[in-house]
C-alpha cells in the first residue's frame, strides 16, 4: 500500500507558517463573531440566576434558560451575521488544523482577546487603558515564546482514537458538572463557569475537526459519513455554541472570551499531547519556554478580562437594559 505523503514532511517551515497564519485569521473571525453575538445576546431575555424570592419560588434550570436564549437569538439579524462569521472562522480553523497539530493551532486562538479589545473599544468609543495594552503585550510575548522556542509547539502527531474517546467521555462529565455548578450562581460566576465549559467543548471539537478533515481528504465523503468523529464534532460544537451564548448573555464580551480562550488552548494542548502520541517538551529549555508562554498568556488574558472598558456597571443606564435583569452584570459599553 502506498503511504500518503504529507506536505509537512517535505516543507515543514512553509506548512507551519500556513497553519499559524490560518490560525490567527480564525482567531480574528471568532473575535468578530463574539462581538456581534454578545451585543445581540444582551438584547434578549436571559435569567439563569433567578433564585428564591417572595413572589417566585421557582429556580429554572440552566438548560431551559440556554435553549430559550438561542430560540430568541435566531430572530436577530445581528446574531445571525455573527453566526455566519463564526462559521467562516470554523472553516478556516479546520484548514489550519489540517496543516498543523491541535497543540500548535489551538493556543493561537488566545489572540481572540487581542482582536476583541479594539472591537470592544470601538463599541464603547473609549481608548484602551495602558494596562490593557500591557496585557495585550503579554499575550503577544507569550505567543512569540510558544512559537519561537524549539520543542514547545508540537509539529506532528498521530491520533489514537481510543484515547480520543476516553477524553471525550471525561470532558462530557466535566461539562455536565460545570453546568450544574453554574445554576443559581451570581451572574459573573455563572457566565465564567459556562464559558469554561464552552472552552472545553471547543477544545474537543478541534480534536474531532482534525480527525474529520483527515477522513475527508484521505478516505473520501462516504467513509467520513460512516465514521463517528463527524457526528461527535457536530454535537460538541453545537453544545459549545449554546454554552457560549449563555456566557455572552450573562457577562461582558472580554470576560466570556477570556474564560474560553484560557480554557480552550490549555485543554487543547493537553488533548493534543495525550491523544495524538505527541512527545511533550522534555529539555529544560523547552519546559521553561512552555511554562513562560503559559504564564504570559494567562496573565494577558486575565488582564484584558479586567479591562475598565468592560467593567460591569460602569456607565450603562440601569433603567434601560433590554433583556437583562437588574441583577445581571452590565457592560460599561
Amino acid at each position: 500500500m502506498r503511504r500518503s505523503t504529507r506536505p509537512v514532511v517535505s516543507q515543514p517551515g512553509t506548512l507551519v507558517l500556513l497553519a499559524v497564519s490560518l490560525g490567527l485569521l480564525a482567531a480574528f473571525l471568532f473575535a468578530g463573531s463574539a462581538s456581534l453575538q454578545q451585543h445581540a445576546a444582551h438584547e434578549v431575555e436571559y435569567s439563569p440566576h433567578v433564585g428564591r424570592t417572595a413572589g417566585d419560588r421557582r429556580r429554572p434550570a440552566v438548560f431551559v434558560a440556554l435553549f430559550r436564549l438561542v430560540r430568541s437569538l435566531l430572530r436577530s439579524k445581528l446574531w445571525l451575521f455573527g453566526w455566519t462569521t463564526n462559521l467562516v472562522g470554523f472553516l478556516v480553523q479546520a484548514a489550519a488544523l489540517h496543516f498543523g497539530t491541535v497543540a500548535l493551532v489551538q493556543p493561537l486562538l488566545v489572540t481572540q482577546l487581542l482582536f476583541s479589545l479594539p472591537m470592544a473599544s470601538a463599541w464603547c468609543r473609549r481608548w484602551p487603558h495602558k494596562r490593557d495594552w500591557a496585557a495585550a503585550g503579554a499575550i503577544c510575548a507569550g505567543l512569540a515564546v510558544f512559537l519561537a522556542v524549539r520543542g514547545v509547539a508540537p509539529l506532528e502527531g498521530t491520533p489514537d482514537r481510543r484515547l480520543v474517546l476516553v477524553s471525550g467521555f471525561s470532558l462530557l462529565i466535566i461539562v455536565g458538572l460545570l453546568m450544574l455548578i453554574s445554576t443559581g450562581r451570581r451572574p459573573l460566576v455563572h457566565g465564567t463557569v459556562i464559558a469554561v465549559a464552552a472552552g472545553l467543548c471547543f477544545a474537543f471539537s478541534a480534536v474531532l475537526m482534525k480527525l474529520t478533515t483527515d477522513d475527508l481528504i484521505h478516505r473520501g465523503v462516504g467513509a467520513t459519513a460512516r465514521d463517528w468523529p463527524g457526528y461527535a464534532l457536530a454535537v460538541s460544537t453545537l453544545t459549545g455554541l449554546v454554552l457560549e451564548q449563555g456566557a455572552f448573555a450573562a457577562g461582558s464580551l472580554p470576560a466570556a472570551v477570556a474564560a474560553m480562550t484560557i480554557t480552550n488552548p490549555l485543554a487543547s494542548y493537553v488533548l493534543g499531547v495525550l491523544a495524538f502520541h505527541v512527545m511533550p517538551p522534555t529539555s529544560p529549555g523547552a519546559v521553561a519556554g512552555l511554562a513562560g508562554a503559559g504564564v504570559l498568556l494567562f496573565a494577558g488574558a486575565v488582564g484584558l478580562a479586567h479591562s475598565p472598558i468592560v467593567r460591569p456597571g460602569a456607565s450603562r443606564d440601569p433603567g434601560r437594559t433590554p433583556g437583562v435583569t437588574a441583577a445581571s452584570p452590565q457592560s460599561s459599553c
Side-chain angles (χ1 to χ4, degrees):
M1 181 180 295
R2 182 183 178 184
R3 179 177 295 180
S4 60
T5 57
R6 295 291 300 274
V8 175
V9 177
S10 58
Q11 295 178 329
T14 302
L15 267 296
V16 169
L17 179 60
L18 183 58
V20 170
S21 300
L22 290 173
L24 293 175
L25 176 58
F28 172 77
L29 293 171
F30 288 145
S33 170
S35 179
L36 294 170
Q37 290 178 329
Q38 189 261 351
H39 280 82
H42 270 297
E43 300 300 320
V44 300
E45 185 68 30
Y46 179 64
S47 303
H49 52 277
V50 174
R52 297 180 181 273
T53 62
D56 183 6
R57 303 187 63 82
R58 299 182 61 188
R59 187 187 298 271
V62 62
F63 305 95
V64 177
L66 285 171
F67 279 102
R68 286 177 178 174
L69 170 67
V70 173
R71 185 176 59 183
S72 299
L73 290 174
L74 289 175
R75 304 188 184 99
S76 170
K77 292 182 180 179
L78 182 63
W79 186 88
L80 289 174
F81 182 68
W83 181 87
T84 303
T85 304
N86 191 82
L87 178 61
V88 176
F90 184 85
L91 296 176
V92 174
Q93 181 190 11
L97 288 169
H98 172 63
F99 293 114
T101 64
V102 174
L104 169 66
V105 173
Q106 289 303 105
L108 299 176
L109 298 185
V110 75
T111 56
Q112 288 180 71
L113 286 172
L114 295 178
F115 301 120
S116 295
L117 178 63
M119 291 177 186
S121 179
W123 282 105
C124 300
R125 297 181 181 180
R126 294 175 57 185
W127 192 253
H129 194 271
K130 291 182 179 180
R131 185 177 60 185
D132 303 333
W133 292 116
I139 291 179
C140 291
L143 188 61
V145 172
F146 178 77
L147 295 175
V149 177
R150 187 180 182 86
V152 173
L155 304 181
E156 295 181 348
T158 304
D160 185 328
R161 293 198 170 202
R162 181 181 62 84
L163 292 177
V164 171
L165 282 173
V166 171
S167 301
F169 283 116
S170 300
L171 290 179
L172 178 63
I173 294 174
I174 295 173
V175 168
L177 290 175
L178 289 174
M179 293 180 69
L180 292 176
I181 291 173
S182 69
T183 304
R185 302 291 180 178
R186 292 182 302 164
L188 180 60
V189 175
H190 172 82
T192 302
V193 173
I194 290 295
V196 169
L200 292 175
C201 290
F202 291 140
F204 190 60
S205 291
V207 173
L208 297 171
M209 191 186 304
K210 185 167 182 63
L211 295 180
T212 304
T213 303
D214 288 343
D215 272 354
L216 283 171
I217 293 175
H218 299 117
R219 300 176 59 196
V221 176
T224 303
R226 295 189 297 269
D227 208 354
W228 60 267
Y231 302 101
L233 171 61
V235 173
S236 178
T237 303
L238 179 61
T239 303
L241 288 174
V242 171
L243 294 173
E244 182 183 42
Q245 303 316 309
F248 290 160
S252 63
L253 168 64
V257 173
M260 284 185 287
T261 52
I262 289 173
T263 304
N264 190 337
L266 178 61
S268 296
Y269 192 90
V270 174
L271 289 172
V273 170
L274 296 180
F276 283 81
H277 293 299
V278 171
M279 287 297 297
T282 54
S283 67
V287 173
L290 178 61
V295 170
L296 288 170
L297 292 174
F298 180 82
V302 172
L304 287 183
H306 291 83
S307 168
I309 294 180
V310 294
R311 184 164 295 166
S315 64
R316 179 178 285 179
D317 180 6
R320 186 178 181 276
T321 53
V324 182
T325 60
S328 297
Q330 301 169 9
S331 169
S332 62
C333 302

